[in-house]
Amino acid sequence: MLKLKALPKGEITPITLSVIVPLYNETEVLPSLHSRLTMVLDSLPERCEIVYVDDGSVDGSHQMAQALPASSSEHLCLSLSRNFGKEAAMSAGLSYARGQSVILLDADLQDPPELIPEMLAKWREGYDVVNMQRRRRLGESWFKRTSAAAYYRILNWLSEMPIPENVGDFRLLSRQVVDQINALPERNRYMKGLFAWPGFRQITLQFDRDPRQAGDTKWNYTKLIGLAMDGITAFSIRPLRLATWAGLTVATSAFLYGAWVVAKTLIWGESVAGYPSLMVAILALGGVQLLAMGLLGEYLGRVYIEAKARPNYLVGEVTEHPRQSIRAAQEAQQ
Ligand code: UDP
Ligand code: MG
């Protein structure tokens, strides 16, 4: 892994805010994201940095990020050695960010950068985590909205700690929380859960989530189901307990039914019937067993991944662009 360059001589003000932006094939939106983001950051008196994490894009997003116009913020461009997924890209950003507070922002402008000052104000009031809850999800299908709502409900019922509903990755974290998350040894990084796990002082603000500005979503339903399983297995072992309860219920009912069959045969005799009920019992039991085995496999597979202890991502290149005075940055943008 490359080491960061030393800060320019004489630069002693600490970085107040780091904005982490994961990028995967985002050339279509990157210029407008950059101009909206830098406009907001230029208006802040504090020293800020933007951390662009290129997650193995094949459309030149990394080169484009490196060549973006300078601003009053430092630009740090990381490129991962291949596509590792958004969770890994965010982890990489979190370990490179140097700010006293950190905001995670999607590149597609679904999370409006204009809300950053409001989030920072809450951090100044002493909050460690500022969750941004989606009031409305514009540009998302009915099915996606309903399945997301159902998923959050199930996840919260299963998990031992509350995971805020309808809060994506867009949020502010204090340095203390970022350090705790960076120190976690686990490889299954379901970030929405990990961000809530440290606790500390949390506040939730509401916002309207805009539709993606350009380009396509990088998620399909198979990926989303994988992410959903990661979330459940990372924060709960309750499904295993449910499997035990299901087994216990089925076995108890089978014993009771068995006793009833014996008693019935002894009292009234048996006329050898019951083929359909036999099939139902066999299929139902087989189904429950397979489901429980699959569930065990989900957990076991994750134990296997943790045991291998491979890194979550590899960083290829790191470049840093120093900040400019606000006037010079404004002139460069004109
Ligand atoms: N992203 C990433 N790696 C991936 C997929 C997505 O870094 O493998 C980034 C993507 O560039 C964007 C953010 O994650 O900045 C959210 O992706 P997207 O908008 O496609 O997700 P959605 O909003 O549809 O859930
Ligand atoms: Mg998006």
Side-chain angles (χ1 to χ4, degrees), residues 130-162:
V130 184
N131 296 311
M132 300 304 284
Q133 190 171 45
R134 301 160 190 183
R135 201 182 296 136
R136 278 187 296 157
R137 289 161 159 249
L138 299 172
E140 287 182 7
S141 67
W142 173 88
F143 184 71
K144 183 154 185 193
R145 276 181 281 131
T146 327
S147 53
Y151 171 67
Y152 280 118
R153 202 103 350 120
I154 295 173
L155 182 63
N156 263 311
W157 174 63
L158 291 172
S159 142
E160 277 100 40
M161 59 169 220

Side-chain angles (χ1 to χ4, degrees), residues 221-241:
Y221 275 101
T222 323
K223 269 195 186 177
L224 279 176
I225 290 171
L227 186 71
M229 278 311 284
D230 280 344
I232 291 174
T233 50
F235 287 92
S236 174
I237 54 161
R238 210 179 259 188
L240 293 176
R241 195 154 311 142

Side-chain angles (χ1 to χ4, degrees), residues 242-265:
L242 288 178
T244 315
W245 280 111
L248 204 69
T249 318
V250 171
T252 317
S253 334
F255 279 124
L256 290 177
Y257 183 62
W260 157 247
V261 168
V262 170
K264 196 178 71 167
T265 316

Side-chain angles (χ1 to χ4, degrees), residues 251-320:
T252 317
S253 334
F255 279 124
L256 290 177
Y257 183 62
W260 157 247
V261 168
V262 170
K264 196 178 71 167
T265 316
L266 288 178
I267 300 167
W268 294 293
E270 178 57 75
S271 55
V272 191
Y275 172 76
S277 55
L278 199 68
M279 282 307 286
V280 169
I282 291 175
L283 292 179
L285 266 182
V288 170
Q289 278 177 354
L290 284 179
L291 203 74
M293 265 165 60
L295 198 62
L296 278 178
E298 289 283 342
Y299 282 92
L300 188 65
R302 283 168 175 84
V303 173
Y304 172 62
I305 290 170
E306 296 291 334
K308 279 192 297 187
R310 273 186 203 151
N312 269 330
Y313 56 84
L314 293 178
V315 178
E317 197 185 340
V318 183
T319 46
E320 194 188 351

Side-chain angles (χ1 to χ4, degrees), residues 26 86 106-111 140 144 209-212 216-219:
E26 299 286 10
K86 186 186 178 190
D106 278 3
D108 57 3
L109 287 168
Q110 283 197 283
D111 311 324
E140 287 182 7
K144 183 154 185 193
R209 195 159 201 243
D210 297 327
R212 182 176 248 283
D216 292 320
T217 174
K218 308 295 178 302
W219 298 88

